[in-house]
Amino acid sequence: MMTSVRKLPLVCLAFLLAGSAWSLAALAPDGVDAQADLDTQEDSVRVYVVPIRGQVGTDIVPRIYEEVIEDIKEQKPDIVVFELESSDERNVYDDNFVDIYEGEVFDEQRERSMLMVPEMTELRVMFDDKLPGDMKQVLWVHDAVGASSALGLAWCDFYMTPDAKIGNMGASVRRSRGAAGDSNVEAKFGQAAFQGLVRITAYGDCDPMNPTRRKLINAMAMPEMSLSVFMMGRQYMMANHKEYETVLDANDEMECRLTAEMCDDLCISDGTAESIEDLMVLLG
């Protein structure tokens, strides 16, 4: 049965985002003297939560967030939390109706995501260029499967919920390769599409303990790339082969996808937070 994809009206979405400024005063534990813990407004931390939710190219488009950015600058929060939940495989608005993505509807959504790399780049650049440099930005991933996983790796401060997954970003690479007429052109087209994903993920490439992060992007973008990791204390070395002690992706027909537990254990993410309160505790 064919069902149209649910879309949140732009006006409603902008209102929800603009109303997300939040104070940590509510986090004071029972029995703790508010005078000692959050004595004045200056002692509190203001957090602005920006949902990035839905389908890339329909729900997640740069124009929706232009007014949100202006409101953030007016509100002047200490921390902006980008709450990412997007999947090319399910309707994130309602898990009870996953059949919405079967057949032609699923193919249509996946095709749209393949074309959205420039729009995702524009969105990430907008958050970097138009928000004050001293305003802390944090990404909190609830799911980033498919095209949106490039955004999922595009912030330096990166946390996940316990059930979140991230990966399978290579639809644009596969589509570009498929449009080529011969093997030489296929390689060039695929590499050009891959570089588009690299430009987005480069915004999150700021961890000195992660010198081989490019290997992770390779495996998440190109199905023929395997991925294994060798841990050295809290540092790790990744490679696109299966020779290191922990093999994360041995499948040469599907791009790599990781769970929140894997990302936490291997220091790919900064931690796992089930709620906004948990996230604030991790942020200190």
Side-chain angles (χ1 to χ4, degrees), residues 62-249:
R63 69 178 184 274
I64 293 178
Y65 296 92
E66 291 173 355
E67 292 185 18
V68 176
I69 287 175
E70 293 307 311
D71 189 68
I72 292 173
K73 289 192 287 188
E74 289 182 12
Q75 297 286 342
K76 295 182 175 61
D78 301 291
I79 303 172
V80 179
V81 175
F82 296 99
E83 189 175 9
L84 176 61
E85 184 175 11
S86 176
S87 175
D88 286 353
E89 299 179 357
R90 68 180 181 89
N91 179 1
V92 302
Y93 288 112
D94 192 346
D95 286 331
N96 294 323
F97 295 96
V98 293
D99 64 321
I100 196 170
Y101 287 107
E102 290 183 355
E104 295 178 17
V105 174
F106 174 78
D107 291 338
E108 177 185 342
Q109 294 302 307
R110 184 168 53 185
E111 179 73 13
R112 184 178 290 115
S113 290
M114 291 179 187
L115 304 174
M116 290 300 115
V117 172
E119 285 76 8
M120 288 193 295
T121 304
E122 180 183 349
L123 182 65
R124 185 62 189 92
V125 170
M126 182 176 11
F127 289 137
D128 193 66
D129 287 352
K130 295 188 177 181
L131 291 178
D134 59 351
M135 189 176 290
K136 185 177 180 66
Q137 297 187 29
V138 175
L139 181 68
W140 185 28
V141 173
H142 291 238
D143 237 359
V145 176
S148 62
S149 60
L151 285 175
L153 293 168
W155 271 266
C156 292
D157 292 292
F158 158 47
Y159 298 82
M160 300 177 73
T161 59
D163 296 327
K165 297 173 290 296
I166 187 169
N168 301 109
M169 70 173 69
S172 63
V173 175
R174 284 185 275 108
R175 181 180 184 277
S176 297
R177 288 173 172 176
D182 59 62
S183 58
N184 291 330
V185 178
E186 177 181 315
K188 292 179 181 178
F189 280 18
Q191 185 63 21
F194 174 70
Q195 289 302 320
L197 298 172
V198 169
R199 280 192 290 273
I200 300 172
T201 60
Y203 283 93
D205 193 8
C206 39
D207 183 354
M209 293 197 305
N210 195 355
T212 57
R213 186 172 181 269
R214 176 67 174 268
K215 306 298 184 182
L216 173 64
I217 309 303
N218 290 345
M220 285 190 172
M222 294 181 279
E224 70 274 14
M225 293 286 187
S226 55
L227 185 68
S228 61
V229 60
F230 175 73
M231 296 297 297
M232 299 172 287
R234 292 289 290 176
Q235 297 186 356
Y236 60 94
M237 181 75 68
M238 284 186 172
N240 293 127
H241 56 57
K242 306 170 189 176
E243 305 303 320
Y244 286 158
E245 60 184 15
T246 303
V247 177
L248 299 176
D249 178 26

Side-chain angles (χ1 to χ4, degrees), residues 245-262:
E245 60 184 15
T246 303
V247 177
L248 299 176
D249 178 26
N251 188 335
D252 60 2
E253 296 182 357
M254 181 74 69
E255 301 97 341
C256 178
R257 179 189 306 189
L258 301 180
T259 65
E261 183 178 8
M262 292 176 179

